[in-house]
Amino acid sequence: MIGCPEAPARPARRLLVAVAVVAAVVIADQLTKWWAVTRLSRGPIHLIGTLDFELTRNTGASFSLFQGQASVLIPVAVILVGVLLVMAWRAPTYGRAAILGLILGGALGNLADRLFRDDHGAVVDFVALHFWPTFNVADASIVVGCILLLVSLVRRPRPS
């Protein structure tokens, strides 16, 4: 049965789960970046404590590594997307497929910025904690997805 925990996850359905998560992440990421560029170009918004919305553009990778290296980061991201799609197809559970969808959605959200925004390969970041590098929804999805992936790899997976 499809809903039973004992039923093995079929590759096409695992990929469908991953793609649904990817779509949700990319839509949320691009909508929040659109809002950030539109609203935060007039100035930052202080929310609470050290949490602010503050518009920045990152030409590097995570934690601002490899600044100005879009010509390297774009092909690496494209390869990563391919690897993640294969991993989602082969995921042992729907949960693992969803986790891979988080990472893949984040990678595609930031890749879309590099390819389609007129910011010379920069990614729009706007969540500023001031004790952590400024980030966006795509970055958060990648980090949360990687943590969940590590947890899922340590735990023995139950077929879904």
Side-chain angles (χ1 to χ4, degrees):
M1 288 182 100
I2 294 171
C4 294
E6 305 84 38
R10 295 186 182 147
R13 288 189 180 163
R14 290 188 300 255
L15 192 57
L16 183 62
V17 166
V19 168
V21 173
V22 166
V25 169
V26 170
I27 289 168
D29 178 62
Q30 292 299 305
L31 284 175
T32 57
K33 287 175 180 172
W34 168 81
W35 173 83
V37 168
T38 302
R39 168 54 184 88
L40 300 177
S41 60
R42 296 181 299 211
I45 298 172
H46 175 70
L47 294 174
I48 187 169
T50 62
L51 176 60
D52 296 328
F53 287 155
E54 188 174 285
L55 184 62
T56 64
R57 288 175 173 81
N58 180 5
T59 61
S62 298
F63 305 106
S64 297
L65 298 172
F66 309 109
Q67 287 293 317
Q69 300 295 317
S71 61
V72 173
L73 294 173
I74 290 171
V76 168
V78 170
I79 291 167
L80 176 65
V81 165
V83 168
L84 288 167
L85 281 170
V86 171
M87 289 175 68
W89 179 266
R90 295 181 177 177
T93 65
Y94 294 113
R96 179 83 54 85
I99 289 168
L100 292 165
L102 276 175
I103 301 168
L104 183 56
L108 286 171
N110 284 338
L111 182 60
D113 275 20
R114 293 191 192 286
L115 292 174
F116 303 118
R117 284 192 191 275
D118 192 27
D119 290 323
H120 308 289
V123 170
V124 172
D125 288 331
F126 63 93
V127 181
L129 296 172
H130 302 289
F131 59 84
W132 191 260
T134 305
F135 61 96
N136 57 44
V137 171
D139 297 335
S141 296
I142 292 168
V143 170
V144 170
C146 286
I147 291 168
L148 291 174
L149 181 60
L150 288 173
V151 169
S152 77
L153 291 171
V154 170
R155 285 187 42 210
R156 183 175 215 149
R158 291 185 326 218
S160 58

